[in-house]
Amino acid sequence: MATRPSKRRRVTPPNDDAPESANHDAKLQKAFFKSAANWNLEEAYESKSKKAKKKEAKKNAEAGDRLPVKTAQGTWQVQDDAASISDADWLDSEGDDAADAVDEEPEAAAPEAPKISEREEILKAQEELAKIATQLNEDPEEHPGAFKALARIGESPIVAIQKLCIVTQMTVYKDVVPGYRIRPAAEEPGEKLSKEVRRLRTYEQALVTGYKNYLGTLAKHASSPVTETRKGAQPISSIAFTCACTLINAVPHFNFRGDLLRILVRKLSSRKLDEDFVKCRQALETLFREDEEGNASMEAVSLLTKMMKAREYRVDESVLNMFLHLRLLSEFVGKGSTDTVSRPGDQTNGKKPKVKKVFRTKRERKLLKQQKEADKVMALADATVSHEERERMQSEILKMVFATYFRILKARTPHLMGAVLEGLAKYAHLINQDFFGDLLEALKDLIRDSDRAEQEENGEPNSTEEDDELSVVRDTSREALLCTVTAFALLEGQDAHNARSDLHLDLSFFITNLYRSLLSLSVNPDLELGAKSLHLIDPNDTSSGNPAAERRNNKVNLQTTTVLLMRCLGSVLLPPWNIRSVPPLRLAAFTKQLMTLSLQVPEKSCQAVLGLLHDVLRTHGRKVSALWNTEERKGDGTYKPLSETVEGSNPFTTTVWEGELLRKHYCPKVREEFKAMEKELKGI
């Protein structure tokens, strides 16, 4: 068999191509020198050293995965991978630079991840949020890291995903928050914990940390400006306020309650009355009504009073009316002022009553001390508030509310006068007797100011507020009635009546002002309309939004002007502390004016007036029966219904002739009420 000749490889080019190769080398050399001017040798050296280090690290890592091989000398050595040498190593220096540039191109132009549309990202976020929320709802202690996962989804730049995240977190925290306040765990270094206790502590710390971060996110979104461009979309700030309001009513006992309250109070400090403002106000009103312990109410009242003082009471009157919803003040039995509070059991001289000391042995004292400590621990575990602690919080709230009211009275803030008088009329029975004199003087000044404002309004209404958003239409007649109600409410009770002579309280100013205002109140068109009754908008009113009607709907006191008038008249004619001490001249003057007033007022107000006169006749019938006697007169002179004082009206010189018209009134109930009053007269 013939063997094949071995193939010879040509190493050098033939001699006939020598001139062409020389020309080619010259061109390469010329191009090499031309490109060398643009080289940055320092940068190239730095990049080469970095690449060499990377290759060396990669080589060492790969060498760690290979098995050693025994060499001919008898030593063990890890072989290098010679096959990994690329063909670029055979090139010259120019080729090396070109290879480096080629290697750097893939790093500079790395392949980007495929883009996902915004809609797909929202759907993906919804699925992840639903999955995490389901896990936390089923067994939250098994997934303590899920709170961080929820917050991580909310870091997306897409606003829709942020909205979904904060709403989902609100729902999750509302469900998983326990019914107690989590305290920081004081774990000692050598303390051994069981698996269940360690698991519970880990979960609680994760819950508290996640909840704190979530409230920080809510505060950031609530203070962010409205940047929503899509029509009909709700801004993220509004959603943040909704979440905060829901949490403060659902879990007011939990940690970081102050952060939630600051979000709501910051919104109430603004002058813009929008849906978020109303939402925050209603959330705090619900908190005040449902708070039994008092911690949340005291913290909220403290923040509100500090905010109003910092803003110099340039807030809406509905913010001040929130104090009327305080449950604790409705159940409080003490007396207070701006700086002190006294309770029924306290001694007037400041000394505590002596308590007889009970003899106990040393063993009994030790057992009693242990029992007190055990009761204290159980009270902390049950999160209960003792009776003494609740009274202390009631006292603090009362002092803060009264301090706010009296500061506003002193500053004479026009748009808050009605709200302050509403509050003083409701909490007048809680005011300390030592403060009666100053408060009555302030009420007298308010009545004088209201009369002056009414005269200016009837003459030239040239009063403009500095701030259009806080300008309100003052109801001077209602304010005067509220001042009178407050003044007489101070004396309701035996203690106040006993201190009347010592304090030198004179209520004749309020009685005279009430008498002068009866005729003007009889022609008031809003006499039977409450603060939240339906008011028709004037078609000729071109002002946008009718702010007067909007602020009128913010009032909390639903009593109509008629009800307030009946309360004032009842305190003047039938005082509860001394019903027999009313002089006949005052009874006759008011009786005659009320009979005249009954001809002008609507039917329901007429029934109320006749009912009051019926009670007056039952109690003081002999003192005023001369008014119904047409044959003779008890006094001399003429009757002056427009007199400025009660005594100057001379009521016993006239008769009650209005009864003949009331007997033929169009309303059957008015006729029946008048017949009952006549029957009472015949029995005298």
Side-chain angles (χ1 to χ4, degrees), residues 463-623:
S463 61
T464 58
E465 299 287 341
E466 297 180 359
D467 195 350
D468 294 337
E469 295 180 354
L470 296 178
S471 61
V472 292
V473 179
R474 293 181 61 184
D475 192 351
T476 55
S477 60
R478 184 181 180 88
E479 290 181 7
L481 289 176
L482 285 169
C483 289
T484 307
V485 168
T486 305
F488 280 96
L490 295 175
L491 298 180
E492 288 183 1
Q494 187 65 27
D495 295 338
H497 176 62
N498 292 338
R500 183 180 179 183
S501 58
D502 299 336
L503 298 173
H504 304 288
L505 301 179
D506 184 14
L507 301 181
S508 59
F509 176 83
F510 300 97
I511 297 173
T512 304
N513 180 77
L514 179 63
Y515 178 77
R516 289 202 312 260
S517 62
L518 286 178
L519 293 179
S520 61
L521 286 172
S522 65
V523 293
N524 188 355
D526 295 337
L527 190 65
E528 291 187 353
L529 294 179
K532 290 190 177 180
S533 301
L534 176 63
H535 293 256
L536 297 179
I537 301 176
D538 187 2
N540 298 324
D541 188 7
T542 58
S543 61
S544 60
N546 199 359
E550 292 178 2
R551 282 174 172 78
R552 194 183 311 174
N553 291 333
N554 286 332
K555 288 186 177 295
V556 178
N557 195 339
L558 301 181
Q559 293 178 344
T560 62
T561 307
T562 301
V563 175
L564 292 176
L565 178 61
M566 291 300 105
R567 289 181 61 186
C568 295
L569 292 172
S571 300
V572 173
L573 302 178
L574 301 170
W577 57 84
N578 195 355
I579 199 170
R580 299 291 181 181
S581 64
V582 185
L585 189 62
R586 183 191 301 172
L587 289 171
F590 274 95
T591 301
K592 176 59 181 175
Q593 285 284 64
L594 290 177
M595 290 298 294
T596 306
L597 180 142
S598 62
L599 298 177
Q600 318 297 331
V601 297
E603 55 184 62
K604 292 182 179 179
S605 300
C606 184
Q607 294 176 37
V609 171
L610 293 179
L612 177 66
L613 289 176
H614 191 183
D615 296 337
V616 171
L617 289 176
R618 185 184 299 114
T619 307
H620 306 285
R622 295 183 181 276
K623 295 180 181 180

Side-chain angles (χ1 to χ4, degrees), residues 191-262:
E191 184 181 5
K192 293 184 179 180
L193 301 176
S194 62
K195 185 178 180 181
E196 290 77 10
V197 174
R198 189 173 298 279
R199 173 189 173 191
L200 180 60
R201 286 192 178 181
T202 303
Y203 163 70
E204 288 180 347
Q205 295 304 318
L207 173 62
V208 171
T209 305
Y211 188 67
K212 181 180 180 181
N213 296 334
Y214 172 63
L215 295 185
T217 304
L218 283 184
K220 182 185 70 175
H221 290 318
S223 59
S224 62
V226 179
T227 58
E228 202 65 52
T229 57
R230 190 170 56 183
K231 186 177 180 181
Q234 193 175 10
I236 192 170
S237 59
S238 179
I239 298 177
F241 284 123
T242 304
C243 295
C245 293
T246 305
L247 288 175
I248 196 60
N249 290 327
V251 287
H253 61 278
F254 197 58
N255 302 51
F256 310 111
R257 178 179 55 222
D259 297 344
L260 279 175
L261 291 174
R262 289 185 190 92

Side-chain angles (χ1 to χ4, degrees), residues 406 409 432-445 490 503 505:
F406 296 147
L409 282 177
N432 200 337
Q433 297 177 11
D434 299 335
F435 206 71
F436 283 177
D438 297 337
L439 182 57
L440 289 179
E441 289 299 326
L443 295 177
K444 289 178 184 179
D445 293 340
L490 295 175
L503 298 173
L505 301 179

